[in-house]
Amino acid sequence: MSAFPRLTPLAQSLPATVPFVGPEALERRMGRAVVARIGANESGFGPAPSVLSAMRAAADGIWQYNDPENFALKQALGLHFGIAPEHIAIGEGIDALLGQIVRLVVDPGQAVVTSLGAYPTFNYHVAGHGGRLVTVPYRDDREDLDGLLDAARRETAPLVYLANPDNPMGSWWPAEAVAAFAEALPETTLLVLDEAYGETAPAGTLPDIARLIERPNVMRTRTFSKAYGLAGARVGYVLSTPENASAFDKIRNHFGMNRMATAGALAALADQAYLQDVLARIAAARARIGQIAAASGLAALPSATNFVAVDTGRDAAFARAIVDRLMADHGVFIRMPGVAPLNRCIRISTGPEAEMRRLEEALPQVLAALG
Amino acid sequence: MSAFPRLTPLAQSLPATVPFVGPEALERRMGRAVVARIGANESGFGPAPSVLSAMRAAADGIWQYNDPENFALKQALGLHFGIAPEHIAIGEGIDALLGQIVRLVVDPGQAVVTSLGAYPTFNYHVAGHGGRLVTVPYRDDREDLDGLLDAARRETAPLVYLANPDNPMGSWWPAEAVAAFAEALPETTLLVLDEAYGETAPAGTLPDIARLIERPNVMRTRTFSKAYGLAGARVGYVLSTPENASAFDKIRNHFGMNRMATAGALAALADQAYLQDVLARIAAARARIGQIAAASGLAALPSATNFVAVDTGRDAAFARAIVDRLMADHGVFIRMPGVAPLNRCIRISTGPEAEMRRLEEALPQVLAALG
């Protein structure tokens, strides 16, 4: 017994866990290098060259703490979205912001509504603050807006989570449905509208910023980790009312942002031409994954994200076997949804053609081996 | 009213605040550039050239999330200290780790013991989790070990904070006194032994790693922000028992570490020759600050850190005026302790000769202007 014996009862009740096993851990455990890293919905297309230059230039100032007010990035994001910077809170990726949102809103025992099989890291934070998860099944591989609304009302939940576009299925709702959902929620239920994959969605998927920005019970989360290609930098942000944005100042790690990361985010935002180029490449890679799946008799689901859920047509054990063999036999790292019925699928991130070709070679071999 | 009306009672009770106003904010508010950044105990000597190279090289991989297990950095730190990597927890600077420690240990209303005028960010986290701060005055400009021990026992406190060397005074206790303090604490009181400034302390200041590493009620915090010159990178760590180290996995942001930052920390640890060079320069700059202070009739306190507390010989208003005029009239950014009697002092970070010279020029002028 060499643990401090007096952790809080809540802390004692929690498991030491990780919401996702990283590909590096897989490499160590399996003794095999990842040769196609297409499992974590990162962007193998990378950030813009201008972003790399900006981050490298910022290294010279790394001896300095970052501006705790994140002034420049808030200004730039405000200009980008046509809103005052006071509407914006910055954090170390959406993961950190989700933890802060849960901490601000959820007391132990309170109900938090999400979809069954949605983002595990959100669930991790809810558990970490003693919240009680109430899950609503997906309907036709989409999050069930009516079901989420009913659950939020029934449970008088302080918090409900919706990702649009969705992870892990890649599905999405049109902007009007999402906005109507937000507007129908009780004023005492906060919606976390996670738009991590917003940039890759078709036009008409994201509600206008103006439509929801003044609603005290809506926080929209965005990130530089996906389309902007900066997953390892840790830059996310929240769009909400000024009062909500400043609530993060009650609890956040004010000096938590990496200085090179902020420089990278600023440069990424400034290089919208590169973003448009990447979006085209992501769309092409989605189609490519669809073709690779189809060639093996599997059906790719429509996707508004930088990944594609592929229906294996069989059960979770089969999907798990594909995921495991792709890594073990071919070094191809993908993931899969965690719960039924979503876990009949495998989830493949878009990436450059070299990675797509590895997948194209490996998938038929794995399926043949599995019989 | 555009705040979400249902924050937790604790969150509602907290102010939106920042433990420290950053120099960038001062620049914006005062409309004047900082020309000598010697207020935040950063290292103007910067990180090693090898560290800058490593971080720039790591930019190419920034599209990837960092290894959530922080395997390589734990391995390197374990080798460095001669302990198993399982004794180590990694976080986004000591600030983030302090927040996690408080969260793991402190329930609302519980007493947390620290010194009156010690690290404000620790106090911020205690308040953020509803803890009740119990403060012990400094004694002769050092943290009062006997007083802290008495308070911890009297309050049956779950948590006590001690920085050795100390911030903001730069004072320190010898290793034996610190170890004896740790060993005298009740088993149900966790000691956070903050050794952020450990590298700059004289030999015999830090207890041997082996002396405390198996104690379940001791967590030692270290950082790459000070002597290693990586404040803007956000890399800190905890040395404790394996069970305590793994407790962070219950609540931390597993994917929170910046990938370039980790590469920088690894390179910094590998370049101990550079660290030794910087330590000599810090020592020389401490002496230089002492000379500059003495030339103006002020007395520098002995320091084991990368900064020097200078006794103004008068009161807090006078010290505040010096701090304010140095910035307003000369662009020289320093800080001062927050409470009496420490706030008779100003606190000046060591830095390269150009910054020292700015101080040397500005301080007599400010004192003359103040009369």
Side-chain angles (χ1 to χ4, degrees), chain A residues 23-24 37 39-48 51-52 55 91-96 119 196-197 223-236 257-258 261 264-265 268 306 335 349, chain B residues 58-68 253-260:
Chain A
E24 297 83 1
R37 187 167 163 133
N41 301 343
E42 301 157 331
S43 180
F45 305 111
V51 170
L52 294 175
M55 291 193 300
E92 305 90 339
I94 289 178
D95 282 1
Y119 194 43
Y197 300 96
T223 184
F224 287 90
S225 297
K226 302 302 178 186
Y228 285 108
L230 286 172
R234 314 318 298 128
V235 187
M257 295 295 294
N258 179 291
N306 73 343
R335 285 196 176 124
S349 305
Chain B
D60 286 326
I62 200 69
W63 62 273
Q64 303 177 357
Y65 289 106
N66 207 342
D67 172 16
N253 181 8
H254 289 259
F255 288 85
M257 294 296 294
N258 179 291
R259 202 170 171 98
M260 294 176 290

Side-chain angles (χ1 to χ4, degrees), chain A residues 75-102:
Chain A
Q75 290 280 326
L77 286 167
L79 278 172
H80 182 74
F81 289 112
I83 56 177
E86 290 75 18
H87 283 282
I88 300 163
I90 309 285
E92 305 90 339
I94 289 178
D95 282 1
L97 291 162
L98 290 177
Q100 292 166 16
I101 292 169
V102 172

Side-chain angles (χ1 to χ4, degrees), chain A residues 338-350:
Chain A
V339 300
L342 315 182
N343 59 8
R344 72 187 191 283
C345 297
I346 56 177
R347 196 195 69 176
I348 304 167
S349 305
T350 55

Side-chain angles (χ1 to χ4, degrees), chain B residues 91-168:
Chain B
E92 305 90 339
I94 290 178
D95 282 2
L97 292 162
L98 290 177
Q100 292 166 15
I101 292 168
V102 172
R103 181 174 160 195
L104 283 169
V105 169
V106 178
D107 265 332
Q110 287 186 318
V112 175
V113 175
T114 186
S115 298
L116 182 63
Y119 194 43
T121 303
F122 177 74
N123 300 356
Y124 165 80
H125 288 306
V126 171
H129 288 281
R132 179 170 55 86
L133 272 177
V134 175
T135 57
V136 176
Y138 279 61
R139 182 190 289 249
D140 300 331
D141 296 326
R142 282 207 295 195
E143 300 198 47
D144 178 358
L145 295 182
D146 292 338
L148 291 167
L149 181 59
D150 287 348
R153 286 175 172 156
R154 184 182 71 241
E155 300 278 351
T156 30
L159 188 60
V160 58
Y161 175 88
L162 174 71
N164 189 55
D166 165 71
N167 175 22

